Amino acid sequence: MASIFYKIYHNDVKGLKTLLKKKPSQINEPIDLFGTTPLMLAFQEGADRRIIEILLEAGAELGTKDQWGRSALHFAVEWDRPYAVEILLSRGCYVNPRNVNGQTPLHWACDRGHLHIVELLLSHNGIDANVMNDDGDTPLHDAVQKRKYKLVFLLLNQDSVNLEIVNKEYRTPLLEAVSDGHLGIIQRLIARGANVNAVDHGGNNCLHLALKRENNFRSEVEHMTMLDQYCVELELGNEERYSGVVLASYLAHHGANFYCKNKSGRTPLDLIKKENLKKMLKTLFSPQCRWCQENMATVRLQPCGDIVFCENCFSEITFKRCPVCREYTLSKSEFGAPKFEDMCVKTEATCQELGAASQAIESPVLKERDLLRVAKRLGRDWWQVAILLGVDATELKIDDESIDAVKQGYLMLNEWFKNCDPETRTHATLSAALEEAECFAAMECLSLDAK
């Protein structure tokens, strides 16, 4: 195989044509022990377009993979050959092949910052921008982790890109952006509608992650007057403009919860050492009712102590467990008037009391659009809910090659929706299954949809 190697390496167009006429079988034979094909070599070495055309006309296979599961398209992306990507896509090359780590060419293009190639791939009809690799990362995760602001912007212009897919660390792209400290990317994700109250495996929301950062945030966006405003309100100097506490205030302004407890029982406020600063934040961001999201929350649940609902919503909702920490209430508390710092908390109640107060309320009927919202939060856990709803997943028309968890979850929910008893096609039925499967993010989304 040394002969074909050198003819490709030296861009010997005439010699390659002659060789392939004499020995056409060499076109798809590996040139090394790793399974590299002549076509892969051509992309690696940046061979002339004529060389590539000769190989393709001679029958070079587009779907062949090497020892690491890399296809010819992976090679074209790896070595930043936009012209090669164009040729392959025009020839009908499969655009979503995965290597041994589950990475598609789009993953690689985002990881390496190849902007033009990302544009080419996204413009292809068959592209799946939500493929998860073996770590659960989508191309958007990769672009965020590598701080590729322009690539993030490009991906977010695609309606099909899912912002709520979680990786093995249970982090959405927004949580990755906050952890990495990139304000510009955070701003783009929030503008696109990213969930600011998603939590990672440790139960940390974006405010926990912002306040844990030791270094200031970075930004590629224009001056944000909102940051100046919070510097003034928190009595901080200009040097604190990109600090964790100012960025946490920015995130809280967009709905992030300062009173969310992680698995260690700590809220973001608990991470702030300066008491005067903590007090100012409590004044600026008093707890909001989890149900109406308009009134100040005044009901403290026991024994967890989470301040969850306003009094208006208190008698109208049903929760078996605290919607914040998911703990069951083991004993009832008496009504009283404990204080929440400078604010008077007027009512104490147990989660069990909340349920008893509203059993007579009829559960709203589900709509198909609710199913999509739930599917976006379910992610890869959809199969658990399928079992609890009595849906036979083996009967679903799901492509075995598809790894779009949102699409799979929606198909499952839609199957249940179409075939279940109309009387049970309610928020209550689905919410009970979500709760038993411990899919709390999806359950909370469903609760908000029921308002």
Side-chain angles (χ1 to χ4, degrees):
M1 296 304 293
S3 179
I4 195 171
F5 173 88
Y6 286 113
K7 294 189 184 305
I8 292 174
Y9 184 80
H10 293 290
N11 279 313
D12 184 355
V13 175
K14 185 177 180 180
L16 182 62
K17 282 184 177 180
T18 302
L19 174 65
L20 291 176
K21 284 182 180 180
K22 293 180 179 179
K23 299 180 179 180
S25 63
Q26 290 190 11
I27 188 63
N28 290 309
E29 292 181 9
I31 63 172
D32 56 28
L33 297 176
F34 307 117
T36 307
T37 66
L39 185 61
M40 295 173 185
L41 174 68
F43 296 148
Q44 179 177 316
E45 299 300 330
D48 188 278
R49 183 185 289 264
R50 292 174 298 170
I51 293 290
I52 297 173
E53 294 289 353
I54 290 170
L55 293 172
L56 292 173
E57 292 299 328
E61 295 177 357
L62 304 183
T64 303
K65 294 184 178 182
D66 69 1
Q67 178 180 330
W68 295 282
R70 298 177 298 181
S71 66
L73 187 56
H74 279 98
F75 272 79
V77 171
E78 168 73 8
W79 298 97
D80 195 15
R81 316 291 188 199
Y83 70 92
V85 172
E86 286 183 297
I87 292 174
L88 288 172
L89 294 181
S90 68
R91 294 273 181 155
C93 177
Y94 179 51
V95 71
N96 301 307
R98 305 174 75 207
N99 64 12
V100 293
N101 296 316
Q103 298 164 312
T104 65
L106 184 59
H107 277 101
W108 275 21
C110 290
D111 180 81
R112 290 150 177 77
H114 299 330
L115 184 62
H116 185 34
I117 289 181
V118 171
E119 289 177 321
L120 292 172
L121 293 172
L122 289 177
S123 65
H124 190 73
N125 287 336
I127 192 66
D128 183 352
N130 296 313
V131 175
M132 293 177 287
N133 64 21
D134 291 353
D135 289 325
D137 290 322
T138 64
L140 180 58
H141 280 95
D142 283 344
V144 170
Q145 291 162 0
K146 291 302 176 71
R147 308 170 191 172
K148 306 297 184 182
Y149 176 76
K150 291 182 179 180
L151 284 182
V152 171
F153 181 74
L154 189 61
L155 286 164
L156 294 182
N157 282 335
Q158 305 294 311
D159 292 337
S160 62
V161 170
N162 185 350
L163 309 186
E164 305 309 326
I165 294 176
V166 296
N167 57 21
K168 281 189 174 180
E169 297 299 320
Y170 230 73
R171 286 187 175 181
T172 63
L174 177 62
L175 291 177
E176 292 285 5
V178 175
S179 180
D180 189 54
H182 201 298
L183 175 59
I185 292 177
I186 293 169
Q187 186 188 41
R188 287 293 179 187
L189 288 166
I190 290 177
R192 178 70 154 67
N195 176 21
V196 293
N197 283 308
V199 297
D200 64 14
H201 263 316
N204 299 298
N205 69 1
C206 61
L207 301 182
H208 286 98
L209 299 179
L211 292 167
K212 284 180 179 180
R213 276 191 58 81
E214 296 181 358
N215 300 321
N216 282 349
F217 282 69
R218 301 174 303 280
S219 179
E220 295 179 17
V221 298
E222 60 189 34
H223 188 85
M224 296 173 61
T225 57
M226 187 180 294
L227 302 186
D228 297 325
Q229 174 187 336
Y230 284 122
C231 279
V232 172
E233 292 182 349
L234 297 174
E235 299 178 5
L236 299 172
N238 288 334
E239 68 279 2
E240 300 274 4
R241 190 171 188 273
Y242 291 108
S243 64
V245 68
V246 172
L247 266 296
S249 301
Y250 167 77
L251 292 165
H253 172 83
H254 288 282
N257 183 9
F258 259 117
Y259 305 91
C260 170
K261 291 181 181 178
N262 60 19
K263 289 186 178 179
S264 299
R266 305 186 74 190
T267 69
L269 289 169
D270 294 330
L271 302 178
I272 300 173
K273 296 179 181 179
K274 296 180 179 180
E275 289 299 325
N276 63 324
L277 191 56
K278 187 184 300 187
K279 186 175 181 180
M280 284 187 282
L281 285 169
K282 288 179 179 179
T283 302
L284 285 172
F285 302 104
S286 56
Q288 196 175 49
C289 176
R290 299 277 290 191
W291 190 256
C292 67
Q293 294 191 329
E294 295 178 358
N295 302 324
M296 185 177 73
T298 57
V299 176
R300 188 192 296 274
L301 305 184
Q302 295 296 326
C304 64
D306 289 321
I307 301 173
V308 182
F309 305 113
C310 67
E311 289 186 275
N312 292 337
C313 295
F314 162 65
S315 61
E316 299 178 0
I317 54 180
T318 302
F319 279 102
K320 295 180 181 179
R321 298 192 284 188
C322 172
V324 177
C325 67
R326 310 309 308 166
E327 291 184 8
Y328 284 104
T329 300
L330 301 178
S331 61
K332 293 185 178 182
S333 63
E334 298 179 355
F335 288 93
K339 290 185 177 181
F340 171 71
E341 298 301 326
D342 295 334
M343 298 177 293
C344 179
V345 179
K346 297 181 179 180
T347 309
E348 284 196 6
T350 64
C351 295
Q352 294 170 344
E353 287 172 325
L354 289 174
S358 56
Q359 287 180 352
I361 297 178
E362 183 179 355
S363 177
V365 177
L366 277 172
K367 298 179 181 179
E368 287 191 75
R369 64 187 181 191
D370 299 325
L371 304 182
L372 178 59
R373 292 170 184 159
V374 171
K376 287 182 178 180
R377 299 290 182 88
L378 272 180
R380 291 167 287 178
D381 293 331
W382 65 267
W383 62 272
Q384 300 181 60
V385 180
I387 294 173
L388 295 169
L389 290 174
V391 178
D392 185 356
T394 62
E395 296 296 322
L396 298 178
K397 296 180 180 180
I398 295 179
D399 182 0
D400 290 339
E401 296 297 321
S402 172
I403 53 174
D404 185 341
V406 174
K407 181 179 179 181
Q408 292 175 341
Y410 175 76
L411 289 173
M412 179 277 293
L413 290 171
N414 193 51
E415 181 73 12
W416 167 74
F417 183 86
K418 291 187 299 182
N419 297 308
C420 70
D421 186 335
E423 293 184 1
T424 65
R425 192 184 297 154
T426 64
H427 279 68
T429 303
L430 181 53
S431 182
L434 294 171
E435 182 174 20
E436 189 170 351
E438 297 187 350
C439 297
F440 303 128
M443 182 182 174
E444 182 175 342
C445 169
L446 186 65
S447 298
L448 293 175
D449 290 337
K451 292 192 298 184

